[in-house]
Amino acid sequence: MNLLVLCLEILAFILVGGALILGMWRLFRGPSVPDRVVAADTLAVITTASLVWLASQFENPIYLDIALVYAALAFVAVVAIARAIEG
């Protein structure tokens, strides 16, 4: 059972790394500004999920507080940027 959990964690780590690479690609190579904003929001969600995963791995609830604050600030930032783009 322990080997299965380890394999699943490695697979999840690879998938999150792939998502980060694809999000960064869209952020830097996005054809328009709204595409870049969506990519930045996606990267913020991935980062928040990674912080929650760290809280689980290290069994330290402080990472959950950090993830909550980071998610709230990222949401406010994306909304502000979207309003600025809108006009």
Side-chain angles (χ1 to χ4, degrees):
M1 185 67 173
N2 212 359
L3 181 62
L4 177 64
V5 171
L6 181 65
C7 289
L8 289 176
E9 286 180 355
I10 291 172
L11 179 65
F13 185 74
I14 291 171
L15 290 175
V16 168
L20 279 172
I21 290 170
L22 291 174
M24 301 263 296
W25 176 263
R26 179 55 62 194
L27 184 67
F28 293 129
R29 301 281 301 193
S32 65
V33 175
D35 288 331
R36 291 186 170 123
V37 172
V38 169
D41 187 40
T42 302
L43 289 173
V45 169
I46 292 169
T47 304
T48 303
S50 298
L51 285 169
V52 171
W53 180 74
L54 281 175
S56 170
Q57 290 299 311
F58 293 139
E59 298 177 0
N60 191 351
I62 191 71
Y63 289 111
L64 293 176
D65 296 337
I66 294 169
L68 181 65
V69 170
Y70 182 79
L73 290 175
F75 173 74
V76 170
V78 167
V79 169
I81 292 170
R83 289 205 181 240
I85 291 172
E86 185 181 6

